[in-house]
Amino acid sequence: MKLKLRVWRQDGPKDKGKMVEYKLDDISPDASFLEMLDVLNEELIAKGEEPVAFDHDCREGICGMCSLVINGTPHGPEKMTTTCQLHMRKFSDGETIDVEPWRARAFPVVKDLVVDRSAFDDIIKAGGYITAPTGTAPEAHATPVPKPDADKAFEAAECIGCGACVAACPNGSASLFLGAKVSHLGLMPQGQPERWDRVVDMLEAHDDAGFGGCTNTGECTAACPKGISLDFISRLNSDYLKATAGGKKK
């Protein structure tokens, strides 16, 4: 395949940045998108030019590091797929492909396609710990969990924290990520002791980080590579109202 790439290049947070055009020949349609970027970087290094900086780790669709906006869509054109699992056969020979970083105030650009997503870490830290008794481990079935709650908790736990929901949201909201993380513990018996404090503290951390508010446009779930449902935003809002209006927060 022959490709024309328009890649966002930015030296650092204070640099203005711009799209730079590159041409690639002989790219295998079976190569992953990140492998294609590896080829580009090898060519740039051979020419004595600066390679394109981009995040990656597992390349198996489970770590959430491969955060790229491809032709205006977080993670690219294939639904329920991370960038690292996207293959070049999804594109056409001779196609022009735009590659950009996540665009959100809470995710400042570090360099080129790399953004600082430590705001997500701050939200998780705000959730604190769960209270658990010490001593001998309880029997595996000592705490019964209703099957619907267990299934929903597993669904929430599928969130890999990539930030595609934020990049897709016109408001730059992380409500889908926050809803999944709050619901994951809120649905389980082990998460009940701090449930109400947790939702308030995590939502405050979300707002303090500069994320926008949710207006239910649904772009977040459409871009999510794990298909996290909007139902978790509803659960988030419900728990927050119960914690505040209901006076359950300590």
Side-chain angles (χ1 to χ4, degrees):
M1 298 173 66
K2 291 185 177 182
L3 300 169
K4 181 189 292 183
L5 299 179
R6 290 177 6 104
V7 182
W8 183 258
R9 302 305 305 264
Q10 185 172 343
D11 287 337
K14 296 182 180 180
D15 183 45
K16 186 177 181 180
K18 62 181 180 179
M19 298 292 278
V20 178
E21 186 175 298
Y22 302 99
K23 292 183 179 180
L24 288 176
D25 294 329
D26 199 26
I27 296 295
S28 170
D30 294 324
S32 73
F33 198 87
L34 296 188
E35 288 171 334
M36 180 273 295
L37 291 180
D38 288 337
V39 172
L40 170 63
N41 279 343
E42 288 171 1
E43 292 188 4
L44 292 176
I45 292 170
K47 295 176 183 177
E49 299 179 24
E50 184 77 12
V52 177
F54 62 94
D55 271 332
H56 64 94
D57 191 8
C58 74
R59 299 201 180 201
E60 295 178 350
I62 58 175
C63 76
M65 290 293 290
C66 54
S67 49
L68 300 178
V69 175
I70 303 167
N71 287 342
T73 303
H75 287 302
E78 189 171 7
K79 297 293 185 183
M80 301 283 288
T81 303
T82 54
T83 297
C84 65
Q85 297 286 283
L86 177 67
H87 289 84
M88 299 312 298
R89 53 181 171 267
K90 293 295 179 179
F91 301 90
S92 302
D93 186 28
E95 185 172 348
T96 297
I97 304 174
D98 289 348
V99 189
E100 301 172 79
W102 284 172
R103 303 289 191 182
R105 183 174 62 175
F107 290 160
V109 173
V110 176
K111 182 178 176 65
D112 295 338
L113 305 175
V114 178
V115 299
D116 180 357
R117 287 175 291 180
S118 59
F120 271 9
D121 298 328
D122 293 336
I123 292 174
I124 295 298
K125 285 189 290 186
Y129 301 92
I130 63 170
T131 298
T134 59
T136 305
E139 291 292 330
H141 301 291
T143 305
V145 181
K147 183 67 163 56
D149 290 347
D151 290 343
K152 207 66 180 176
F154 272 118
E155 183 182 339
E158 288 187 62
C159 172
I160 57 177
C162 67
C165 52
V166 179
C169 178
N171 307 320
S173 174
S175 292
L176 191 66
F177 165 81
L178 179 57
K181 298 307 178 183
V182 165
S183 299
H184 177 202
L185 287 175
L187 285 160
M188 303 296 288
Q190 295 86 347
Q192 298 310 306
E194 288 81 20
R195 179 178 178 179
W196 310 112
D197 289 338
R198 182 184 304 115
V199 65
V200 173
D201 293 342
M202 292 181 75
L203 188 54
E204 288 177 354
H206 170 280
D207 294 346
D208 290 344
F211 293 106
C214 175
T215 51
N216 291 314
T217 63
E219 295 294 331
C220 53
T221 190
C224 177
K226 299 303 177 182
I228 303 298
S229 169
L230 286 177
D231 291 347
F232 292 113
I233 297 180
S234 298
R235 287 180 175 274
L236 167 68
N237 293 334
S238 176
D239 272 15
Y240 182 76
L241 287 174
K242 290 175 182 177
T244 53
K248 292 187 177 184
K249 188 179 186 299
K250 295 178 183 177

